[in-house]
């Protein structure tokens, strides 16, 4: 499976996976802005964005597969697209030691506080 960057210096696969998960969530929730329309209408829930992590680590073919409305889907998609804009390259998925394209599903939770 592909992995979000920033944890290459850790030893075990489990440590790297946990660290990558944490870094990805920090990126997503650090850049996401709750859409005003969703906030005004009290819309909460889970948006699922699917995308392909290419052999070179770039993100392509991002689209919303589950939307809750109130422009939350568009916002989640914007943040996923931001990865390429900021030059964030994923560690690509590998099969038999070779990098391969992998489809990745990313759930993004929208919760009012």
């Amino acid at each position: 499976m592909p992995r979000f960057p920033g944890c290459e210096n850790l030893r075990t696969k489990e440590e790297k996976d946990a660290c990558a998960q944490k870094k990805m969530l920090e990126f997503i929730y650090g850049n996401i802005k709750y859409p005003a329309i969703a906030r005004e209408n009290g819309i909460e829930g889970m948006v699922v964005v699917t995308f392909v992590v290419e052999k070179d680590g770039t993100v392509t073919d991002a689209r919303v597969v589950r939307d809750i409305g109130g422009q939350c889907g568009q916002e989640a998609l914007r943040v996923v697209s931001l990865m390429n804009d900021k030059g964030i390259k994923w560690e690509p998925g590998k099969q038999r030691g070779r990098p391969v394209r992998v489809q990745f599903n990313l759930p993004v939770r929208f919760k009012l506080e």
Side-chain angles (χ1 to χ4, degrees):
M1 286 300 289
R3 197 172 19 228
F4 196 77
C7 302
E8 291 75 27
N9 58 349
L10 297 173
R11 286 194 174 91
T12 67
K13 181 184 179 324
E14 290 76 24
E15 284 177 330
K16 284 181 182 177
D17 288 346
C19 171
Q21 184 78 12
K22 185 172 169 267
K23 293 243 188 222
M24 181 175 60
L25 290 175
E26 284 172 6
F27 176 81
I28 297 290
Y29 293 113
N31 287 294
I32 212 152
K33 294 177 183 72
Y34 213 109
I37 246 175
R39 192 179 298 114
E40 289 161 11
N41 294 307
I43 297 172
E44 293 185 327
M46 183 89 71
V47 170
V48 179
V49 178
T50 187
F51 54 88
V52 176
V53 177
E54 296 290 341
K55 294 177 185 181
D56 66 353
T58 55
V59 172
T60 60
D61 196 27
R63 56 186 162 58
V64 177
V65 286
R66 184 160 153 222
D67 198 353
I68 54 173
Q71 295 176 343
C72 291
Q74 292 97 307
E75 179 60 15
L77 207 53
R78 182 191 70 80
V79 173
V80 167
S81 301
L82 202 59
M83 290 178 198
N84 281 343
D85 297 345
K86 289 196 172 191
I88 294 173
K89 295 252 192 239
W90 285 59
E91 198 174 298
K94 289 194 167 75
Q95 192 168 29
R96 291 191 218 104
R98 286 201 174 119
V100 291
R101 298 176 76 221
V102 179
Q103 185 168 351
F104 194 89
N105 291 326
L106 176 68
V108 181
R109 183 176 303 283
F110 283 86
K111 187 157 176 46
L112 290 167
E113 284 155 18

